[in-house]
């Protein structure tokens, strides 16, 4: 009997030691592995789940939702009034016939979103965010996505890829949003980015546009400038934009094409018209109206743009006549979105 009890005691002790060992192993593993790193499958793509501590990182707007909604009402009212007065915008039927006009509107079917992207108005971060939402990236951190990847042609489906009936349905039932920026600030940003930086993109713009601009608008240009187009000045860039031959010859590149031409706000009634100047609050409003604020947050930039302070520095080298011509190119952007032009207000 004593032998049996001793044997059972040893067995119980072994079981207790085994349980303790397993418990200790779980604790050690939890300390070594981040609790938020869990892989899930979405649309047959594997990517990290949203971080469990993301709630504490969520952006909270500086203004109340009531104020943000009131601002939207005022922006849309002004846009409608200006559109009515201009009477130059195409109607929806003509836009559907010429679907290329809708090529800047990205469609997110699952979340029922239509986003019209405007280059140089935070469009890279919006595209990154949409890639995360649509399962097109293997990360949940939008800023971890390489910028060039978000701009690849086949990443998103555009509204111009749909039939006329499908376009009408999405314009009526999906939430539509776009973001805007002071036209001259956007122009300076485009010039600095495409002609003043060292990147593959800048190399393309210098070759494609820079050499032509130097040839046409610079007297006694050097052979190096003519062959490289690497030292275009802002005034030469503006002279190219306001030249009637430029306007008549071809449409502008998307980086300096007027915002009204990219997004057709007189034809399409956007639910949210966000401003670059209030980017984080307006981005929050978009996600709130789409019921997505619990899933994602618009990425916060660590370096606020300094372009606004540079606009006057760049435009002061323009003559009043050049400034006026430039204003007329972007006049609808100024009037529709309540911006003011430096120099002759």
């Amino acid at each position: 009997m004593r032998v049996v009890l001793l044997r059972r005691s040893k067995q119980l002790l072994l079981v207790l030691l085994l349980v303790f060992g397993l418990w200790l192993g779980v604790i050690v593993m939890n300390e070594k592995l981040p609790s938020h790193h869990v892989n899930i499958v979405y649309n047959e793509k594997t990517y990290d789940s949203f971080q469990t501590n993301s709630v504490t990182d969520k952006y909270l707007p500086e203004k109340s939702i009531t104020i943000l909604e009131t601002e939207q009402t005022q922006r849309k009212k002004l846009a409608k009034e200006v559109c009515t007065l201009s009477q130059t915008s195409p109607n929806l039927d003509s836009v559907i016939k010429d679907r290329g006009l809708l090529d800047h509107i990205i469609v997110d079917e699952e979340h029922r979103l239509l986003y019209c992207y405007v280059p140089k108005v935070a469009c890279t971060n919006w595209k990154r965010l949409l890639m995360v939402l649509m399962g097109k990236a293997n990360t949940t951190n939008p800023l971890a996505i390489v910028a060039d990847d978000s701009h690849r042609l086949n990443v998103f489906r555009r509204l111009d890829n749909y039939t006329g009936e499908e376009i009408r349905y999405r314009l009526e039932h999906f939430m539509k949003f776009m973001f805007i920026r002071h036209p001259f600030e956007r122009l300076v940003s485009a010039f600095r980015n495409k002609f003043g930086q060292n990147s593959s993109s800048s190399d393309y713009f210098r070759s494609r546009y820079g050499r032509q601009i130097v040839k046409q608008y610079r007297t006694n240009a050097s052979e190096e400038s003519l062959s490289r187009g690497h030292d275009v000045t802002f005034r030469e860039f503006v002279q190219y934009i306001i030249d009637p031959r430029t306007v008549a010859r071809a449409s502008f590149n998307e980086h300096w094409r007027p915002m009204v031409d990219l997004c057709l706000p007189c034809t399409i009634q956007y639910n949210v018209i966000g401003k670059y100047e209030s980017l984080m609050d307006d981005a929050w409003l978009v996600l709130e109206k789409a019921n997505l604020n619990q899933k994602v947050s618009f990425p916060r930039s660590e370096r606020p743009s300094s372009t606004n302070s540079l606009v006057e520095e760049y435009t002061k080298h323009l003559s009043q006549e050049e400034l006026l011509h430039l204003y007329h190119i972007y006049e609808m952007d100024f009037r529709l979105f309540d911006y003011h032009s430096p120099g002759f207000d």
Side-chain angles (χ1 to χ4, degrees):
M1 185 70 176
R2 183 178 301 172
V3 173
V4 173
L5 289 174
L6 183 62
R7 185 181 302 163
R8 289 182 177 177
S9 296
K10 289 182 178 179
Q11 291 174 343
L12 180 61
L13 180 61
L14 287 172
V15 170
L16 290 174
L17 287 173
L18 180 61
V19 171
F20 178 79
L22 290 173
W23 175 72
L24 185 61
V26 169
I27 292 177
V28 172
M29 290 299 291
N30 279 339
E31 289 179 347
K32 290 184 176 181
L33 295 176
S35 60
H36 61 268
H37 193 81
V38 182
N39 286 341
I40 61 178
V41 176
Y42 179 86
N43 286 350
E44 300 182 347
K45 292 180 181 288
T46 302
Y47 65 102
D48 297 341
S49 67
F50 295 108
Q51 294 185 7
T52 55
N53 65 347
S54 60
V55 175
T56 60
D57 298 331
K58 291 294 183 184
Y59 175 82
L60 295 177
E62 297 179 0
K63 302 173 183 176
S64 69
I65 191 169
T66 302
I67 293 176
L68 292 174
E69 292 280 18
T70 300
E71 288 178 346
Q72 286 301 314
T73 300
Q74 293 170 343
R75 287 177 198 169
K76 289 183 281 189
K77 179 183 177 183
L78 174 63
K80 186 175 181 180
E81 291 173 351
V82 174
C83 290
T84 300
L85 290 173
S86 70
Q87 297 181 338
T88 58
S89 303
N91 59 37
L92 185 57
D93 290 335
S94 62
V95 168
I96 289 176
K97 287 181 181 179
D98 186 8
R99 286 173 207 173
L101 296 171
L102 301 171
D103 67 343
H104 272 64
I105 300 180
I106 292 172
V107 183
D108 178 352
E109 291 286 349
E110 180 183 358
H111 304 99
R112 299 172 72 83
L113 297 175
L114 296 179
Y115 164 53
C116 182
Y117 69 93
V118 177
K120 310 313 302 175
V121 192
C123 75
T124 299
N125 279 346
W126 269 116
K127 288 180 178 179
R128 286 166 163 164
L129 186 68
L130 288 173
M131 287 179 71
V132 170
L133 278 173
M134 298 164 73
K136 295 179 177 291
N138 58 358
T139 179
T140 57
N141 177 11
L143 293 178
I145 300 172
V146 177
D148 286 347
D149 289 345
S150 70
H151 297 305
R152 299 193 189 283
L153 288 177
N154 298 323
V155 174
F156 301 107
R157 192 174 183 187
R158 318 295 173 101
L159 195 58
D160 62 325
N161 297 140
Y162 291 79
T163 67
E165 184 178 343
E166 290 170 337
I167 290 171
R168 291 179 189 278
Y169 177 85
R170 281 153 184 78
L171 287 174
E172 184 176 348
H173 294 95
F174 284 23
M175 198 189 84
K176 305 169 290 294
F177 67 100
M178 65 177 291
F179 274 73
I180 57 176
R181 187 178 188 177
H182 189 289
F184 285 178
E185 183 180 332
R186 177 174 169 248
L187 191 66
V188 169
S189 179
F191 171 76
R192 285 163 55 84
N193 179 238
K194 300 307 177 186
F195 294 96
Q197 296 181 356
N198 293 317
S199 65
S200 58
S201 175
S202 297
D203 290 340
Y204 166 78
F205 276 83
R206 289 173 185 142
S207 176
R208 171 67 177 82
Y209 298 99
R211 293 187 300 178
Q212 176 187 350
I213 291 172
V214 170
K215 181 179 179 180
Q216 285 191 263
Y217 307 103
R218 186 180 304 178
T219 304
N220 299 323
S222 69
E223 288 297 325
E224 183 182 17
S225 295
L226 289 169
S227 63
R228 295 178 58 194
H230 66 295
D231 56 354
V232 173
T233 67
F234 184 70
R235 187 178 186 187
E236 290 168 340
F237 177 55
V238 168
Q239 287 174 326
Y240 164 75
I241 287 178
I242 66 177
D243 191 328
R245 295 172 295 177
T246 301
V247 178
R249 186 167 58 246
S251 60
F252 286 137
N253 179 274
E254 63 174 356
H255 290 84
W256 49 85
R257 191 180 307 164
M259 294 178 283
V260 293
D261 293 344
L262 291 172
C263 294
L264 307 176
C266 289
T267 305
I268 298 172
Q269 307 304 307
Y270 287 91
N271 301 95
V272 175
I273 299 175
K275 283 199 169 188
Y276 190 78
E277 297 83 355
S278 53
L279 175 62
M280 291 304 300
D281 277 10
D282 291 344
W284 179 90
L285 181 64
V286 169
L287 297 175
E288 182 70 13
K289 292 171 78 70
N291 296 315
L292 293 171
N293 262 327
Q294 296 306 311
K295 287 187 175 182
V296 290
S297 290
F298 189 81
R300 280 179 257 193
S301 174
E302 295 180 0
R303 295 181 304 149
S305 172
S306 61
T307 312
N308 182 46
S309 61
L310 294 173
V311 171
E312 188 173 348
E313 179 67 25
Y314 277 80
T315 56
K316 74 179 183 181
H317 300 292
L318 305 178
S319 68
Q320 282 293 104
E321 184 180 5
E322 289 168 337
L323 196 61
L324 187 59
H325 279 307
L326 191 62
Y327 172 82
H328 285 317
I329 295 290
Y330 299 99
E331 183 174 3
M332 281 296 286
D333 283 351
F334 277 102
R335 294 174 56 205
L336 212 70
F337 303 129
D338 196 25
Y339 286 114
H340 302 281
S341 172
F344 54 88
D345 282 341

